[in-house]
Amino acid sequence: MKFGPVPLQEAEGAILAHSTVVGDRRLRKARVLSAEDIAAMQAAGLKEVTVAVLAADDVEENAAAERLASGLSFAGIEAKPAATGRVNLHATVSGVFTVDKQLIDSINLVDPGITIATMPPFAPMVEGQMVATIKIIPFAISESVLTRALELGWNREAFRMHPYRPFRVGVVQTMLPSIKNSVLDKTLRVTEERLGRTGSSISGEIRTPHAASDVARAIEQLSDDSDMVLVFGASAMSDPDEDVIPAAIRAAGGIVHRSGMPVDPGNLFVLGERDGKSVLGAPGCARSPKLNGFDWVLDRLMTGIPVTNEDIAGMGVGGLLMEIPTRPQPRELASGKGEAKQVALKVPVVLLAAGRSSRMGGPNKLLALFGGKPLARQSAERALASKANGVIVVTGHQAERVKNALAGLNAVFVENPHFGEGLSTSLKAGVSALADDASGVLVMLGDMPGVSPADLDRLIDAFRSSGGRSVVRASHDGRRGNPVILPRSLFAAVSHLEGDTGARHLVEAEGLDIIDVEIGAGAFVDVDTREALVDAGGVLQD
């Protein structure tokens, strides 16, 4: 492949290296230049253009990506059609993702032009979520390079989705005078919810004194009608061999594979087995729905993936998870300087203003007047009046009109040329424009006239108080709404979104701590239709 500037008269049939505006037309990167394109460039006064010219043995980027996807073996996953040299692979079932790291590393070493990126091994994924992406860079790859990559993948499974299996789970809870019944009741509800996402259910519950003999009898009784038994101790494990839960598993005729795990939160976990069925001693943090080491083991077992002592020992790298609410303050803020650090957390706003207002039947709702101001301007002014660290406005449909409506405001504009492909493209464009020191991003829809600067401040305050680790959502009467703040830990996952979807499924799949902040009915007031806009006090403009 040859790359560089060439005279226009030699560019027909070549691949455009950079997006170019010619008059009122935008020619996108990777476009194969036609005679009409060349004529338009000449009319615009251009003399040369930077292009890529493929050699006889080059395989065009889309064809190469599709051949590589077809040459890899995987299960529970489907490959989407190639575009811009990329094939995305999505889960067709909910479950746990596994990957042959050695194989993927080997393919990525063949040539920098071939790249495969995947989710981490053993990541829990939901149906439809992207698990891997194949990207050819740039424009083409030689046949010999592609052949070497395909040969590596021959007769080897690259990745797999292991679907969840419905388990019947028995629950044992021990009791001490210090633990309230309300805590036990909440633990049962949280456990039902935790099991429900895998299609599993609770087969029975027994509450016993905090003594090994009582717990052993409960394990034996529940095992008859269960595929697994979970034990919640009223007191944290102090001795990995003789404390109540490991001792009870042995007294019930079982074996203990591991007491303790290098994952925080989740250290005080017990992995046992009786009659071929798992018996798990849950750590105290498993009483909360927040992600902890217990989830890592449970997810694997619920798909039939075995978990050994060695597997748990290997969970330490990457095992430092988020803080849990029961800790009085995050570890890094315990120095006494927590308040200053929280205030320093930077939270810019990404204002999404690229949509086509398709349900309006023509007029752009963001230009509708509210109190004499275009809705887009009202939204931007409210964002600028909040505690946010700057505002990025993503434009697309009628970009110039929207920018003119915001003239004079201290906002940064980012144009999304792919706005027609859905909300995800605008979200990605906004997040990609954030500064490196952003701790999170407040994603604000441009069509929510009921959201005030004070509402945004409440969200930002909650995010900063959480140490910048939590997802913060606007809510009303217990129902989630908008806007939402995403922590920096989700930025990479945002880049994999596709279509007309926001970050909702990412929030649910990643298991992050979620803080819902009541802001009133404004959390739900958007103006997608003419009727809704008029009801909210807006006046459409042509």
Side-chain angles (χ1 to χ4, degrees):
M1 180 175 64
K2 295 181 179 180
F3 181 89
V6 300
L8 279 180
Q9 59 268 26
E10 300 176 14
E12 184 177 348
I15 299 172
L16 184 63
H18 308 291
S19 294
T20 303
V21 176
V22 180
D24 60 352
R25 297 174 59 199
R26 182 182 180 86
L27 305 181
R28 291 188 179 181
K29 173 184 176 181
R31 180 187 181 95
V32 177
L33 294 174
S34 65
E36 181 184 357
D37 297 331
I38 301 300
M41 290 180 178
Q42 290 173 332
L46 299 179
K47 302 297 183 184
E48 64 179 21
V49 63
T50 302
V51 297
V53 180
L54 302 191
D57 65 340
D58 281 337
V59 182
E60 185 270 337
E61 58 181 2
N62 287 333
E66 288 187 339
R67 281 180 57 186
L68 185 54
S70 298
L72 293 176
S73 174
F74 43 82
I77 296 167
E78 66 175 351
K80 301 292 186 178
T84 64
R86 183 186 301 278
V87 169
N88 293 327
L89 297 107
H90 294 251
T92 58
V93 296
S94 295
V96 172
F97 173 74
T98 57
V99 56
D100 184 338
K101 183 179 185 301
Q102 184 182 41
L103 171 59
I104 300 304
D105 288 348
S106 298
I107 294 175
N108 283 330
L109 275 170
V110 168
D111 186 276
I114 292 181
T115 69
I116 303 178
T118 79
M119 294 299 288
F122 302 110
M125 310 296 290
V126 297
E127 180 182 351
Q129 194 172 356
M130 187 190 301
V131 298
T133 184
I134 297 169
K135 172 67 175 173
I136 303 299
I137 51 175
F139 307 125
I141 202 76
S142 72
E143 178 67 39
S144 60
V145 167
L146 180 59
T147 298
R148 292 205 307 273
L150 289 169
E151 287 174 346
L152 288 171
W154 177 255
N155 207 30
R156 291 176 65 178
E157 184 174 83
F159 19 74
R160 171 182 289 266
M161 279 299 301
H162 302 257
Y164 291 122
R165 304 174 182 178
F167 274 55
R168 291 175 53 77
V169 180
V171 175
V172 181
Q173 296 202 70
T174 72
M175 298 181 295
L176 288 172
S178 59
I179 192 165
K180 298 179 180 179
N181 284 331
S182 59
V183 173
L184 303 180
D185 294 340
K186 178 184 176 182
T187 299
L188 195 64
R189 291 196 301 272
V190 168
T191 303
E192 286 177 327
E193 293 173 359
R194 182 172 260 120
L195 296 174
R197 64 187 174 84
T198 69
S200 300
S201 60
I202 292 177
S203 57
E205 182 206 15
I206 297 177
R207 298 180 181 182
T208 76
H210 190 67
S213 58
D214 295 286
V215 176
R217 284 192 293 270
I219 291 172
E220 293 172 359
Q221 182 177 339
L222 288 170
S223 292
D224 293 338
D225 193 37
S226 303
D227 305 303
M228 176 188 293
V229 176
L230 306 182
V231 184
F232 291 86
S235 177
M237 180 180 64
S238 299
D239 187 290
D241 295 315
E242 303 302 327
D243 215 331
V244 169
I245 294 178
I249 294 173
R250 294 189 182 97
I255 56 176
V256 176
H257 296 297
R258 175 102 185 183
S259 293
M261 71 186 308
V263 180
D264 184 15
N267 295 142
L268 303 181
F269 169 78
V270 179
L271 174 65
E273 181 182 345
R274 180 181 182 273
D275 292 339
K277 299 177 181 179
S278 295
V279 181
L280 309 182
C285 56
R287 296 185 186 276
S288 162
K290 308 306 184 288
L291 178 69
N292 61 84
F294 173 68
D295 290 294
W296 283 11
V297 176
L298 193 65
D299 282 334
R300 296 192 197 186
L301 293 175
M302 291 296 187
T303 64
I305 299 174
V307 179
T308 65
N309 173 46
E310 291 75 18
D311 291 330
I312 294 179
M315 293 178 179
V317 176
L320 183 59
L321 305 181
M322 71 194 69
E323 297 293 341
I324 56 176
T326 51
R327 286 200 174 95
Q329 52 184 294
R331 282 182 286 264
E332 74 213 40
L333 301 183
S335 64
K337 300 180 180 179
E339 183 176 352
K341 289 187 178 182
Q342 289 174 9
V343 172
L345 295 177
K346 293 188 177 181
V347 186
V349 169
V350 165
L351 180 63
L352 303 182
R356 293 176 292 184
S357 304
S358 55
R359 295 175 64 186
M360 287 291 173
N364 189 338
K365 62 184 175 182
L366 296 180
L367 302 177
L369 299 182
F370 282 77
K373 290 183 180 180
L375 177 56
R377 186 178 187 89
Q378 175 182 279
S379 298
E381 288 179 345
R382 291 178 177 180
L384 289 165
S386 73
K387 296 179 180 179
N389 302 96
V391 176
I392 296 171
V393 181
V394 181
T395 61
H397 177 61
Q398 297 183 347
E400 288 304 316
R401 293 187 66 191
V402 172
K403 289 175 68 175
N404 290 338
L406 274 60
L409 297 183
N410 187 24
V412 175
F413 292 93
V414 175
E415 186 168 351
N416 170 22
H418 308 298
F419 66 88
E421 297 174 16
L423 178 65
S424 65
T425 61
S426 292
L427 183 57
K428 288 190 285 189
V431 169
S432 66
L434 294 172
D436 291 339
D437 61 353
S439 300
V441 59
L442 191 157
V443 181
M444 183 177 178
L445 305 181
D447 64 344
M448 300 190 71
V451 175
S452 69
D455 295 331
L456 302 179
D457 288 346
R458 282 195 285 274
L459 298 173
I460 294 169
D461 287 343
F463 179 77
R464 287 173 173 163
S465 296
S466 78
R469 295 175 182 81
S470 301
V471 173
V472 177
R473 299 185 302 204
S475 67
H476 179 51
D477 287 342
R479 296 167 53 210
R480 61 181 173 226
N482 281 297
V484 61
I485 299 180
L486 304 177
R488 187 170 193 87
S489 61
L490 277 181
F491 288 4
V494 167
S495 67
H496 295 302
L497 290 173
E498 290 186 317
D500 197 27
T501 59
R504 174 179 169 184
H505 85 266
L506 287 181
V507 172
E508 295 171 347
E510 295 293 327
L512 295 181
D513 186 17
I514 299 174
I515 300 172
D516 287 326
V517 176
E518 170 67 44
I519 70 167
F524 303 129
V525 178
D526 56 22
V527 288
D528 282 343
T529 65
R530 289 173 178 262
E531 293 77 10
L533 188 140
V534 171
D535 289 344
V539 179
L540 280 171
Q541 304 296 299
D542 293 331

